[in-house]
Structures are given as structure tokens and as C-alpha cells.
DNA sequence: CATGAAATCAAATAAGC
DNA sequence: GCTTATTTGATTTCATG
């Protein structure tokens, strides 16, 4: 992990907020030739600085209007700590964080309905042998803003 | 909010996991002509189904190795509920969720160091007149996976 | 709404500095 | 590692079914 220099910072910042921006535009914005930018972006991808690109989708429109956080607490504290792999096939789970604090993991999930959430919780408990605490999201004032770099 | 038909679902699914995919590739993957796909993507963007595109960045590489959840509880329950706008200029906050449950809001933040987190917490408390509970992320097994559509 | 063709523009590679 | 030049391929518009 080596510090990003100015120009790479500028490129990642642009792509964080406008992931489909053309190399041509990018080159203008950061003040470099198109092929220089092209090389740098490829390098940032290879180094793993840029992990990929995603369209940000509206939950309502795609039929997944219900977002929730699910906190996991192991039932058996001596059980092996392999929760992420036990849960990775559950596609409603968009993110999985291992955390310090009262709980061991926090999941961010998106589902179609309360009934779907109920079913998801059952599957999570069964797959991971955990107890759960669920916090339903009422609204999302903002999400996925660009990092402060 | 009208149901997405099959082909638009396929397009959004592709772009969710590969946001920089060319229209040409997209057309092949969904089995339509390039210009038809082009029209549909523009339409999905205009309808707000696709809210934008983002590069997914590696926290370590961009100098923000510390991720945390901050839960907010209003100090004065009678105060106006304008926390998101009071906090929106704090760039370390990537997401802001209004939630049901013990707390009122959950923030997802990324910072450079424990000291930066301490400073951020001070600014959040001051700006929003809230008490905070912070859960530090130890690792992120996965994040931002494509929605289950 | 989809297609196919035409024109414009961008991406990708290579050569030279 | 940047630049310019070149080729290849993608984007975008438009006319048409």
C-alpha cells in the first residue's frame, strides 16, 4: 500500500463519482493525455486500488424497496469464525462487515418485502448459527458518496 | 415505480456488476442490438432506475483504511429532524440511513486513522447535537455486491 | 420499440522521447 | 512515464419497419 500521488488521486476521485466517464473526459479533467490516463487507470485496476465499477441502482425501481442492517452474534462462542463464507451464497446480502463491539458481524441487505426479510433472517440464522438483531432502514438520505480523498 | 421487464432487469444486473461495460458487450450479453440497448440504458438513467456509476475503491490504497458505523441518537428529542442536511458537508460520511430502532440514524464513514475518527465524531456531535455510538469495522469480507434481481 | 447503416468519436496499441 | 500518431472498435444519431 503506497500513497497515491496527486494525479492518481484525481483520477480515482473522478471515477468514484462518475464511473462511466470516458478516458477522453478523464484526460481533460486531470490535464493529461488520453493514453497517459488510460495507462494509469489500467495500473490502478491492476494494483487493486480500483476494485471494479458498479451502477448504483434505485431499490424501489428494482423491486427491492426494503433495506436493513442485520447484526450477528454467534450462538456458540467457540464455533469456527467462518460466517462470511457460510453466508456468501445468500444474494440478498450486499455487504458483510466484521466489527468490533457487541456484535461480530453486520450485514447490509436488500429485500422485496417484510415477508422476504423474515425468510432471509431464518436463512441467515440457520446457515450461520447466529442470533440476529435487525435494524430496518426507513429512508436513505444519501448513500455511496465518494470517499473524502 | 413500475416493474422492470426482463430485458431491463438483465441490463441493470450487468451494469450493477460491471459498470463500465461497453454498449457493444451489453448488447451481446442481453441479446439485443447495440442501439436498442443504448436507448434502454438512457431511459433507465432518466427514470432514475440507474442513479449513477461509481468506481469501487480500496480503502487502504486511498489512505482511508478505517471504516466505521456511527449510530446517532438525538440529545433533544424535540429538536427538528434535519440531521442529514446538518451532516451532509462532512465528506467522511459516505452513507446516511434513517432507521427504525433504538437509534435514529446510522452513518457509514471512512477515515484515515483513529485520530481522524475521533475528530470526525466531535464534528458529528457538534453539527447535529446527537450522542453517538461507534462500531469499528475490522474487515470487510464483501461489500457492494450486486442486488439479488 | 427494434433494427441497421452512417458518421463521429473513443479506446487501445505502438513508436519515440 | 508522457506524447503523438495510427488503427481498431464503440457510441450516437437517424431513417425505416
Amino acid at each position: 500500500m503506497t500513497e497515491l500521488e496527486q494525479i492518481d488521486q484525481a483520477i480515482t476521485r473522478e471515477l468514484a463519482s462518475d464511473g462511466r466517464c470516458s478516458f477522453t473526459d478523464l484526460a481533460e479533467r486531470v490535464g493529461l493525455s488520453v493514453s497517459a490516463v488510460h495507462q494509469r487507470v489500467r495500473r490502478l485496476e491492476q494494483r487493486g486500488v480500483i476494485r471494479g465499477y458498479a451502477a448504483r441502482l434505485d431499490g424501489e425501481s428494482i423491486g427491492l424497496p426494503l433495506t436493513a442492517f442485520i447484526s450477528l452474534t454467534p450462538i456458540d462462542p467457540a464455533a469456527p469464525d467462518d460466517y462470511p463464507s457460510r453466508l456468501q451464497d445468500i444474494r440478498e446480502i450486499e455487504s458483510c462487515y466484521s466489527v468490533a463491539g457487541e456484535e461480530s458481524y453486520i450485514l447490509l441487505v436488500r429485500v422485496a418485502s417484510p415477508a422476504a426479510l423474515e425468510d432471509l433472517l431464518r436463512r441467515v440464522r440457520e446457515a450461520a448459527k447466529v442470533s440476529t438483531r435487525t435494524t430496518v432502514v426507513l429512508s436513505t438520505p444519501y448513500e455511496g458518496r465518494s470517499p473524502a480523498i
Side-chain angles (χ1 to χ4, degrees), chain A:
Chain A
M1 186 226 94
T2 157
E3 276 286 298
L4 280 193
E5 55 153 320
Q6 293 281 338
I7 203 100
D8 283 338
Q9 262 187 37
I11 290 172
T12 49
R13 217 182 307 115
E14 287 299 326
L15 287 174
S17 64
D18 184 6
R20 256 183 105 79
C21 174
S22 72
F23 289 105
T24 309
D25 282 0
L26 211 45
E28 268 192 24
R29 295 184 204 171
V30 306
L32 226 62
S33 74
V34 174
S35 53
V37 168
H38 189 255
Q39 283 180 105
R40 278 173 181 267
V41 171
R42 290 286 168 262
R43 188 123 192 288
L44 289 165
E45 289 167 356
Q46 281 169 5
R47 284 167 55 197
V49 178
I50 295 173
R51 301 171 88 100
Y53 302 90
R56 293 181 294 111
L57 304 179
D58 176 61
E60 311 261 335
S61 307
I62 59 174
L64 300 173
L66 180 47
T67 300
F69 291 96
I70 306 178
S71 306
L72 307 187
T73 307
I75 291 172
D76 175 6
D81 187 13
D82 60 349
Y83 302 98
S85 61
R86 283 170 168 277
L87 295 171
Q88 72 187 347
D89 290 344
I90 302 182
R91 298 203 43 229
E92 289 92 338
I93 304 174
E94 294 196 3
S95 304
C96 172
Y97 301 92
S98 166
V99 297
E102 292 175 30
E103 288 103 357
S104 296
Y105 291 90
I106 294 178
L107 311 178
L108 180 57
V109 305
R110 270 165 129 178
V111 293
S113 65
L117 180 56
E118 184 175 32
D119 183 63
L120 170 62
L121 285 168
R122 194 186 43 71
R123 283 182 283 137
V124 167
R125 286 193 212 104
E126 280 190 11
K129 312 292 184 201
V130 289
S131 69
T132 61
R133 186 176 75 94
T134 302
T135 300
V136 170
V137 173
L138 302 172
S139 70
T140 304
Y142 33 88
E143 187 175 29
R145 302 201 306 179
S146 307
I149 53 177

